[in-house]
Amino acid sequence: MRTYNMQMVDAQAVNQSNGFTLIEFVIVTAIIAILAAVALPRMMDAQDNAHESSVEGVGGALASAVILVRSQWVANGFSGAVDEVTGYGNDDIATSSDGWPTDAGQGTGSNNSDVMDSAERCKRLWDALLVDNAPSADNDLLNDPDYQVDTISGNCRYTYRRTDDGYDIEYNARNGAVVTDIDT
């Protein structure tokens, strides 16, 4: 009988260690719920911060490119509007009479006006000023671009589309200003 009792004890020990008790399950669930309540808002903030940083970075890159084109225009000795600034990118960026980028890829058909009147011109500038792996910009939303291109008050506006927070970058060809607007 002694052997039988040992087998019974061993069977009971096995049965007792095969799972969680109801109290353990409730405690684990409560801990997970608390962690989720604390961590989820922080993760959402991190995602918002990533979008903001992305837009600010692209705005800075665009501003740098505008300055570089104007610097190349000055270095080339120009003093008026030109159709092609050699020494930057594909040598196909047109400028205003003050040397700020106004068009790209149009050669002698470039629009040198510092009033940006079409989204297509703004898109050409975006593509010519920024590197090939820059976020996409287009006025045709069927192409699912990262930025929607349009014009506002004679300026190019690039509205970030990966969030509904109203982030945009505006380029003023009259004075070369690039303003990144993060509505917070």
Side-chain angles (χ1 to χ4, degrees):
M1 284 227 177
R2 196 168 181 111
T3 316
Y4 177 76
N5 286 340
M6 285 301 266
Q7 289 176 347
M8 199 60 148
V9 169
D10 289 341
Q12 286 177 350
V14 168
N15 286 339
Q16 288 178 355
S17 66
N18 276 343
F20 293 110
T21 66
L22 183 58
I23 292 173
E24 290 171 331
F25 180 73
V26 169
I27 290 172
V28 168
T29 304
I31 291 171
I32 291 172
I34 291 169
L35 288 174
V38 171
L40 191 60
R42 290 179 189 244
M43 287 175 43
M44 295 303 288
D45 285 345
Q47 185 176 9
D48 289 343
N49 291 341
H51 285 294
E52 287 178 16
S53 296
S54 175
V55 173
E56 288 172 351
V58 171
L62 183 62
S64 295
V66 166
I67 294 294
L68 286 170
V69 168
R70 185 157 194 286
S71 297
Q72 189 64 52
W73 176 83
V74 169
N76 289 348
F78 296 128
S79 61
V82 297
D83 292 329
E84 296 173 342
V85 175
T86 56
Y88 184 88
N90 293 328
D91 300 332
D92 65 349
I93 297 178
T95 68
S96 66
S97 59
D98 292 327
W100 301 113
T102 59
D103 206 348
Q106 301 301 297
T108 57
S110 295
N111 188 335
N112 302 99
S113 169
D114 59 8
V115 176
M116 304 307 287
D117 56 359
S118 82
E120 188 55 40
R121 257 176 82 195
C122 293
K123 179 188 177 337
R124 286 194 302 264
L125 269 177
W126 178 278
D127 291 340
L129 291 170
L130 298 176
V131 295
D132 289 339
N133 63 350
S136 60
D138 204 331
N139 53 334
D140 185 355
L141 298 183
L142 293 177
N143 294 329
D144 193 31
D146 297 310
Y147 289 84
Q148 179 180 1
V149 181
D150 65 354
T151 59
I152 181 170
S153 303
N155 297 335
C156 293
R157 179 173 56 187
Y158 307 97
T159 303
Y160 187 63
R161 296 187 58 246
R162 299 298 172 223
T163 181
D164 294 329
D165 291 331
Y167 305 155
D168 57 59
I169 302 167
E170 195 171 315
Y171 169 59
N172 182 337
R174 292 179 290 285
N175 60 16
V178 175
V179 176
T180 303
D181 183 18
I182 305 293
D183 293 335
T184 54

